[in-house]
Amino acid sequence: MRTATIKRKTKETDIEVTVDLDGTGVAKAATGIGFFDHMLDLLAKHSRIDITVKAVGDLHVDFHHTTEDVGIALGQAVKQALGNMAGITRYASVLMPMDETLTRVVIDVSGRPFLVFKADFPRDKIGEFDTELVREWFQAFAMNAGVTLHVETLYGENSHHIAESCFKGLARSLRAAVAIDPKTAGEVPSTKGQLGG
């Protein structure tokens, strides 16, 4: 069972995240941030990873701490659920359209965290959600999941569509990359014999 639960509690947030990499895409997201819950819902749906997120944060300050800390916890949960990463496909890429927007997402589940994020948002906010927090979430997730992640919106005009194409692109690439490749017979997909170093 490739599952994990991470609990993270600070003076700013109290978070519990559970993932099942071999799930069916069931999402239970309760962060107190409507738009963010929407992004987590579609991340689960399109990755086929079951994701449960319970987060209580200092939303009276702003949405930054909750968004970032959920990214940290979710990244840690994915990394823990992957174990030694034996048998995974490892690499994946996708071009994700969302109406007028097109985003390219490329992932290497390498154990080496790195993020390249290139997306320009026409507006500062989507509803009450600061668009700059999209990058903050991806940074937190990539660093804690131990993945090399490149996200680039090639073009787009609607901030909601841009954010959604980024999350859906991650979902589809993550789905392919963590899938078990039956041809590898449980081998770690690296000439080093291990991932992450």
Side-chain angles (χ1 to χ4, degrees):
M1 295 290 290
R2 298 191 300 166
T3 63
T5 296
I6 295 292
K7 296 180 180 180
R8 175 183 171 85
K9 187 171 185 178
T10 70
K11 291 181 179 180
E12 300 165 341
T13 61
D14 186 356
I15 295 168
E16 181 174 338
V17 171
T18 299
V19 300
D20 180 352
L21 300 184
D22 302 306
T24 58
V26 174
K28 297 178 183 176
T31 66
I33 307 170
F35 178 77
F36 187 35
D37 286 349
H38 175 45
M39 294 300 102
L40 294 172
D41 286 346
L42 61 85
L43 177 64
K45 177 70 174 178
H46 295 287
S47 67
R48 302 287 290 174
I49 297 173
D50 291 346
I51 299 174
T52 300
V53 177
K54 300 174 186 175
V56 177
D58 55 358
L59 302 184
H60 63 285
V61 176
D62 65 9
F63 296 164
H64 187 112
H65 298 142
T66 300
T67 302
E68 182 178 34
D69 287 6
V70 168
I72 290 170
L74 185 56
Q76 290 174 349
V78 167
K79 184 175 183 179
Q80 184 174 311
L82 281 166
N84 68 358
M85 297 180 267
I88 65 168
T89 302
R90 181 177 169 178
Y91 303 99
S93 62
V94 67
L95 286 168
M96 179 57 63
M98 180 65 195
D99 294 348
E100 86 298 340
T101 297
L102 185 65
T103 297
R104 176 173 54 218
V105 179
V106 184
I107 194 169
D108 175 8
V109 183
S110 60
R112 297 186 308 276
F114 199 88
L115 175 70
V116 175
F117 189 90
K118 297 181 179 180
D120 294 320
F121 292 91
R123 295 180 179 269
D124 293 335
K125 289 184 178 288
I126 303 169
E128 297 180 350
F129 189 84
D130 295 317
T131 51
E132 68 182 10
L133 295 181
V134 175
R135 188 193 189 285
E136 292 298 320
W137 185 88
F138 273 85
Q139 177 76 17
F141 176 81
M143 294 302 105
N144 287 275
V147 300
T148 298
L149 184 60
H150 293 249
V151 180
E152 183 180 13
T153 297
L154 304 178
Y155 46 83
E157 299 174 4
N158 181 289
S159 292
H160 188 131
H161 295 167
I162 292 169
E164 191 160 328
S165 68
C166 291
F167 275 89
K168 282 182 176 176
L170 171 62
R172 293 296 295 196
S173 60
L174 192 60
R175 174 178 175 175
V178 303
I180 298 299
D181 182 350
K183 294 181 180 179
T184 63
E187 299 172 6
V188 175
S190 171
T191 55
K192 296 177 183 179
Q194 68 178 36
L195 290 170

